[in-house]
Amino acid sequence: MKKFVLPILFLIFFLRHLESNAQADYEIITREFFHRYDSDPLNAMDFAFATNKWLNRNRIAIEKLKNNFKELRPQLGEYYGFEKLREAQITDRYRIVSYMVRYDRQPLRFTFVMYKPNHAWLVHNLRYDDTLDQDLEILIRE
């Protein structure tokens, strides 16, 4: 019986380690963000900032970003969903991911800067803008 205890404990430890690594994947954060965004975009922003205790301390900047969004949102019309635009990996621990968020009037671009300082991914920065069309025009001209 003792022969089986050690391998079983090792297997349990290994499976838990795999599970915790899978949960640390940065895409879990963006999936949860857009899941929340469907019903409450401001709650989604709070969720993203809460992943990083250092960002969450800067409530003034977060509230300004959210207030600007509150003013913009009624002008956009109906929300239809999102699509990943681009992803850049600078190292295994630093990524930038941008999404197009589709509205009636025009798309918005949400850009996540993701950082993994130790074991878990966090949002290092989150911003949105409505200049996607201008950036595409510049790309076309080059």
Side-chain angles (χ1 to χ4, degrees):
M1 182 71 176
K2 287 185 179 183
K3 288 184 196 179
F4 296 112
V5 172
L6 189 58
I8 290 173
L9 288 174
F10 177 77
L11 182 61
I12 290 170
F13 174 78
F14 181 72
L15 291 175
R16 284 195 175 171
H17 179 71
L18 285 178
E19 181 182 39
S20 68
N21 280 346
Q23 291 175 346
D25 187 5
Y26 71 95
E27 289 181 331
I28 291 172
I29 294 172
T30 55
R31 269 196 304 271
E32 180 63 22
F33 175 86
F34 283 111
H35 175 73
R36 291 174 184 228
Y37 191 92
D38 283 342
S39 59
D40 188 351
L42 301 177
N43 175 271
M45 290 179 196
D46 284 335
F47 162 76
F49 291 122
T51 66
N52 185 335
K53 66 181 179 184
W54 302 104
L55 287 181
N56 205 30
R57 291 179 181 178
N58 193 354
R59 293 307 307 170
I60 294 171
I62 292 170
E63 291 305 317
K64 182 177 178 182
L65 180 79
K66 289 171 52 179
N67 286 334
N68 289 342
F69 185 83
K70 276 193 248 183
E71 291 177 16
L72 176 65
R73 174 62 190 95
Q75 302 169 29
L76 297 172
E78 191 171 339
Y79 166 71
Y80 293 115
F82 66 95
E83 298 174 31
K84 185 188 275 189
L85 294 172
R86 293 191 86 175
E87 179 175 335
Q89 176 181 334
I90 297 166
T91 72
D92 288 343
R93 296 180 171 274
Y94 199 83
R95 296 175 188 259
I96 299 173
V97 188
S98 64
Y99 291 85
M100 177 178 65
V101 178
R102 300 185 328 266
Y103 283 98
D104 262 340
R105 180 177 178 212
Q106 69 186 67
L108 293 180
R109 176 178 38 204
F110 276 75
T111 303
F112 295 81
V113 178
M114 308 297 290
Y115 176 51
K116 185 178 180 183
N118 196 7
H119 301 295
W121 284 96
L122 50 86
V123 175
H124 186 65
N125 195 359
L126 170 63
R127 59 185 170 273
Y128 68 88
D129 64 78
D130 61 355
T131 62
L132 183 59
D133 57 340
Q134 296 166 10
D135 292 346
L136 290 175
E137 285 180 29
I138 292 169
L139 282 174
I140 290 172
R141 291 182 185 148
E142 291 179 353

